Amino acid sequence: FITIQRIYHWLSLIKFRYMNFMFDLEDASDDGAIDAAEFAIVCSSYGLDKAECEDAFGKMSQVKGKKAIKREGEKCIIHDN
């Protein structure tokens, strides 16, 4: 039968699979990193202004002084390119 632990486990699997799906979608060059250009292309496909998307990536990466988002295990981390 269904327990709270099974529900949490199921939800964590869905979250991990969705994160990987979105990462693979945005990593158009398949180099294992999402740069500002790739981020802007995907975000602008949702109707956002491409320049605003690039600006948002710059602000997000500026917090840690990094240039790309990379996948590390079950997380995506902002890294130097």
Side-chain angles (χ1 to χ4, degrees):
F1 68 93
I2 298 175
T3 64
I4 294 294
Q5 290 82 13
R6 286 185 182 185
I7 292 171
Y8 284 134
H9 177 71
W10 184 76
L11 290 173
S12 69
L13 286 175
I14 290 173
K15 182 177 83 171
F16 181 68
R17 287 181 179 167
Y18 183 75
M19 179 202 71
N20 284 323
F21 168 77
M22 289 304 294
F23 189 94
D24 292 339
L25 178 71
E26 291 195 36
D27 183 19
S29 64
D30 197 29
D31 63 352
I34 301 167
D35 59 24
E38 292 169 327
F39 182 82
I41 289 169
V42 173
C43 287
S44 63
S45 72
Y46 291 107
L48 301 169
D49 181 63
K50 191 173 179 181
E52 287 182 17
C53 298
E54 291 170 346
D55 186 48
F57 186 91
K59 288 178 182 177
M60 179 175 60
S61 62
Q62 200 173 43
V63 172
K64 296 187 178 192
K66 307 297 181 180
K67 297 181 175 105
I69 300 171
K70 294 186 179 180
R71 186 172 21 205
E72 285 188 5
E74 294 185 10
K75 297 180 180 180
C76 291
I77 310 293
I78 299 174
H79 279 275
D80 288 324
N81 215 4

